[in-house]
Amino acid sequence: MRKNNLLYTAWVLILITGSMFSCKPKNAGDAVSGDAAQQVYVAPGKYDEFYNFVSGGFNGQLSVYGLPSGRLLKIVPIFSVFPENGYGYSEETKPMLNTSQGFVPWDDQHHLELSQTNGEIDGRWIFANANNTPRVARVDLSTFKTAEIIELPNSAGNHSSPFITENTEYVVAGTRFAVPMDNDNGDVPINTYRKNFKASISFISVDKNSGNMNLAFQLRVPPVDFDLSHAGKNKSHDWFFFSCYNTEQANTLLEVNASQRDKDFILAVNWKKLEEYAKQGKGKKEAVQYAHNVYDETKHMATSTIEKQVLVLDAKDFKDVCYFIPCPKSPHGCDVDPSGEYIVGSGKLAALIPVFSFDKIQQAIANKKFIGEYDGIPVIEYEAALYGEVKKPGLGPLHTEFDGRGNAITTMFVSSEIVKWNIKDLKVIDRQSTYYSPGHLCIPGGDTKKPNGKYVIVYNKITKDRYLPTGPELEQSAQLFDISGDKMKLLLDFPTVGEPHYAQAVAASLIRDKSVKYFDINKNQNPYVTKGEAESKVVRNGKRVDIYITQIRSHFSPDNIEGIKAGDEVYWHVTNLEQDWDIPHGFAIKSVPENAELLVMPGETQTYKWMPKKAGIYPFYCTDFCSALHQEMQGYVRVSSAESNVPLTFSTGKNLPDSATAPPLLDK
């Protein structure tokens, strides 16, 4: 009977949600006031005030927008091959997509986190998660390039990731799916879930100077599903808080079987004590395999190393590290206010928002106000940890961020709105409709000690009737609201690339002036660099041919190559000799189905592997507009049969046509 009631409730929610999108709301056309365009207008030649970093969802990339204009500035490839610049195609970047399972050219990128110092965004790096093949990446914000990717063993569904401590000591990643551990027998019946499946939380340390990541240790926890997380601040700095669901430990039809209980949990983890135990040698080292990929910006190339060991600490063995706090069922968000005192939980199926007190949690632990244990972990009494509840905020609360003025703003997925409420008195102040089904939102610095309460950006899952139709699927969208006053005000809709999930935003001034404009050619340590046209050459070693080729406006050197044979393994080592900002050069050859172009930054070297299969003349050219003579930036390579005796030759400007066969010129 209980299951039938739950199914009925689920259908009611679906019907409510569906009815919201069945027709255009009466006020959808006039939701934006008359002066909104002026507030988001950025004049030609002027910069946006904020960078907005938005997850790409199923495209595996990171999108960068300017705010308040909503202009797309860049797509940064991280976990997926990217033909626009050859990421994952060039020999230098292929190792970035290596895993313990081999080369993986796609992933699902959900969440982002900007690095912090003393609880404030420092503008150095942004971390990104890969949900499908569990990985965490670090993007360097001086180059907007992926600098490092580390795979996570003992994990599946790296959704609860990557969340950081307030000095970026650790990036933390929880698993969405419980699975048998890597060193266990994975060939077990699925319905032995409760016996054989476990979950992991990975703690990745970050070097405070270089940013280099290291999988420091993992926490083994009961087989529940972990969702969003945040670290504490100030007095709660030593703690991490994770929302988790499926406390029923179901393995089939979770929409019913993982919604049986009135409450799931927030897991509070004292990471500082856990770190101490790890340094003391507690826990157990397990044999695993995971890839650690690093891009060296001095060599302009990546390396991939397979690591084979991880330190694991089991939560049940350390009674002063982990505590469960009951939370309305199916929580998605877990957010900590700027003071570090208030922890907000959001149950997707709840009609209230619980706010927990860090001080009360500590008192409850000290006084052992527990209602029992869950798989060996103490469970704190709900009321003992609770500060209070926001009553009737809306339907389907998901994600909360803070405006720095004592208020919180929460997305309501089912009722399609954002709601502002006061943290202290828990009263709703304002609510505004969104279009439609908002998942996450972003206030610049909204999860730090010092939010910038000027804007909130809301990321909608559905955009029906907001844009021109483009077939069965419409692009997802973001909406920009002014939150500087008492009432929130919708300013702008703008479509986004992929499906936006989590996002971060920061004042542009923190990053803009640190941006690398070009790479010093004299510091290029790529083993195949060509630092001047006089050094360009073609070298054969058996069936391998290395072409050391340069680019500069507006020609290649060499640009005529002969003596390549069908079946050769040809490596084009392309160096861009430019030393000026915004002069990349592209490189592509006719009919290379297994490859894409290269986009080579000024002062950089990238390598293009080519396996010619048949004889012929193959043009190559620059794919990225670079000058008025961009069209003239081209060359030819001649491929002869494997049995031919055509000598290997190369030149620039010398292999001219026979003048006796030239057509008469029209200007004579």
Side-chain angles (χ1 to χ4, degrees), residues 221 279 334 548 598:
V221 285
K279 289 179 178 178
C334 186
Y548 297 77
L598 295 182

Side-chain angles (χ1 to χ4, degrees), residues 2-141:
R2 185 177 179 84
K3 284 189 178 181
N4 289 337
N5 288 337
L6 285 165
L7 282 170
Y8 176 76
T9 302
W11 274 111
V12 169
L13 286 172
I14 290 169
L15 289 170
I16 291 172
T17 307
S19 67
M20 292 165 56
F21 311 134
S22 61
C23 59
K24 186 173 181 177
K26 291 181 180 178
N27 66 339
D30 57 7
V32 179
S33 62
D35 64 342
Q38 182 178 351
Q39 292 185 56
V40 301
Y41 178 68
V42 178
K46 300 295 183 181
Y47 290 138
D48 276 288
E49 186 179 357
F50 295 93
Y51 285 104
N52 184 204
F53 301 94
V54 183
S55 65
F58 41 68
N59 73 11
Q61 322 289 13
L62 159 66
S63 302
V64 186
Y65 298 85
L67 294 178
S69 72
R71 298 180 295 197
L72 177 64
L73 304 177
K74 190 174 184 65
I75 297 175
V76 180
I78 303 177
F79 299 112
S80 298
V81 294
F82 195 51
E84 182 178 308
N85 64 8
Y87 181 83
Y89 292 97
S90 72
E91 297 304 296
E92 282 82 1
T93 58
K94 283 179 181 176
M96 294 301 289
L97 298 178
N98 189 44
T99 74
S100 61
Q101 306 297 314
F103 183 82
V104 177
W106 170 87
D107 217 305
D108 189 12
Q109 198 280 298
H110 277 220
H111 301 130
L112 300 163
E113 189 82 19
L114 285 159
S115 57
Q116 297 179 21
T117 299
N118 193 31
E120 299 178 42
I121 296 170
D122 58 30
R124 295 192 292 170
W125 313 300
I126 189 165
F127 299 92
N129 73 325
N131 189 31
N132 184 271
T133 302
R135 288 170 286 175
V136 168
R138 176 175 59 88
V139 174
D140 186 332
L141 292 180

Side-chain angles (χ1 to χ4, degrees), residues 368-412:
K368 298 188 183 302
K369 289 191 175 181
F370 305 137
I371 58 174
E373 290 189 349
Y374 180 91
D375 274 12
I377 297 176
V379 181
I380 299 173
E381 294 176 4
Y382 180 71
E383 294 292 340
L386 186 70
Y387 171 74
E389 297 173 338
V390 182
K391 305 292 186 181
K392 299 181 179 179
L395 296 176
L398 280 186
H399 178 204
T400 299
E401 289 203 352
F402 306 92
D403 68 0
R405 294 186 291 272
N407 303 313
I409 300 177
T410 303
T411 53
M412 301 292 163

Side-chain angles (χ1 to χ4, degrees), residues 21 32 51 95 151 192 207 260 269 295 342 386 435 446 493 596 658:
F21 311 134
V32 179
Y51 285 104
E151 188 182 5
T192 63
D207 185 276
Q260 298 292 303
V269 178
Y295 191 84
Y342 303 105
L386 186 70
Y435 305 96
D493 284 17
D658 184 350

Side-chain angles (χ1 to χ4, degrees), residues 263-501:
K263 288 185 170 60
D264 282 305
F265 292 132
I266 287 175
L267 177 65
V269 178
N270 188 327
W271 66 264
K272 200 69 173 178
K273 283 190 175 180
L274 191 65
E275 179 188 58
E276 290 173 8
Y277 287 133
K279 289 179 178 178
Q280 292 167 10
K282 302 290 178 68
K284 183 174 69 172
K285 291 183 178 179
E286 292 185 357
V288 294
Q289 286 197 338
Y290 63 95
H292 188 182
N293 310 328
V294 179
Y295 191 84
D296 184 336
E297 204 62 85
T298 61
K299 295 181 179 179
H300 305 294
M301 64 191 307
T303 56
S304 179
T305 304
I306 298 296
E307 307 288 353
K308 298 186 176 180
Q309 189 172 262
V310 65
L311 177 64
V312 177
L313 298 92
D314 198 314
K316 69 177 183 296
D317 296 333
F318 304 95
K319 295 297 184 182
D320 56 352
V321 167
C322 294
Y323 302 89
F324 279 123
I325 305 166
C327 184
K329 61 186 173 184
S330 298
H332 186 66
C334 186
D335 303 285
V336 181
D337 90 304
S339 73
E341 166 62 14
Y342 303 105
I343 299 100
V344 180
S346 297
K348 291 180 291 187
L349 301 181
L352 56 82
I353 300 174
V355 180
F356 301 98
S357 160
F358 179 74
D359 288 342
K360 292 186 71 174
I361 290 170
Q362 298 307 297
Q363 292 168 9
I365 292 170
N367 298 327
K368 298 188 183 302
K369 289 191 175 181
F370 305 137
I371 58 174
E373 290 189 349
Y374 180 91
D375 274 12
I377 297 176
V379 181
I380 299 173
E381 294 176 4
Y382 180 71
E383 294 292 340
L386 186 70
Y387 171 74
E389 297 173 338
V390 182
K391 305 292 186 181
K392 299 181 179 179
L395 296 176
L398 280 186
H399 178 204
T400 299
E401 289 203 352
F402 306 92
D403 68 0
R405 294 186 291 272
N407 303 313
I409 300 177
T410 303
T411 53
M412 301 292 163
F413 180 81
V414 177
S415 53
S416 285
E417 57 185 335
I418 52 172
V419 175
K420 181 163 78 169
W421 49 277
N422 184 268
I423 301 170
K424 291 292 181 66
D425 64 23
L426 305 180
K427 292 182 178 178
V428 172
I429 300 169
D430 186 29
R431 62 180 70 240
Q432 294 294 328
S433 296
T434 61
Y435 305 96
Y436 308 92
S437 295
H440 294 286
L441 53 75
C442 167
I443 294 172
D447 64 347
T448 71
K449 285 183 181 178
K450 292 188 177 180
N452 183 314
K454 186 171 185 178
Y455 300 118
V456 64
I457 312 97
V458 183
Y459 304 93
N460 299 305
K461 301 296 187 184
I462 296 173
T463 60
K464 190 177 293 185
D465 81 38
R466 301 300 286 183
Y467 304 113
L468 286 171
T470 53
E473 181 189 23
L474 299 177
E475 194 56 271
Q476 284 81 18
S477 75
Q479 292 185 301
L480 179 72
F481 288 80
D482 181 342
I483 58 171
S484 59
D486 292 335
K487 297 294 183 181
M488 300 179 289
K489 179 180 175 183
L490 177 60
L491 300 179
L492 179 69
D493 284 17
F494 59 97
T496 58
V497 176
E499 182 190 356
H501 286 266

Side-chain angles (χ1 to χ4, degrees), residues 82-91 93 551 574 585-589 592 594-600 606-608 621-625 630:
F82 195 51
E84 182 178 308
N85 64 8
Y87 181 83
Y89 292 97
S90 72
E91 297 304 296
T93 58
Q551 302 171 302
V574 186
H585 287 298
F587 179 82
I589 310 173
V592 186
E594 73 275 13
N595 222 331
E597 68 160 341
L598 295 182
L599 193 61
V600 190
Q606 292 288 289
T607 298
Y608 188 105
Y621 66 104
C622 176
T623 56
D624 192 84
F625 184 86
H630 166 69

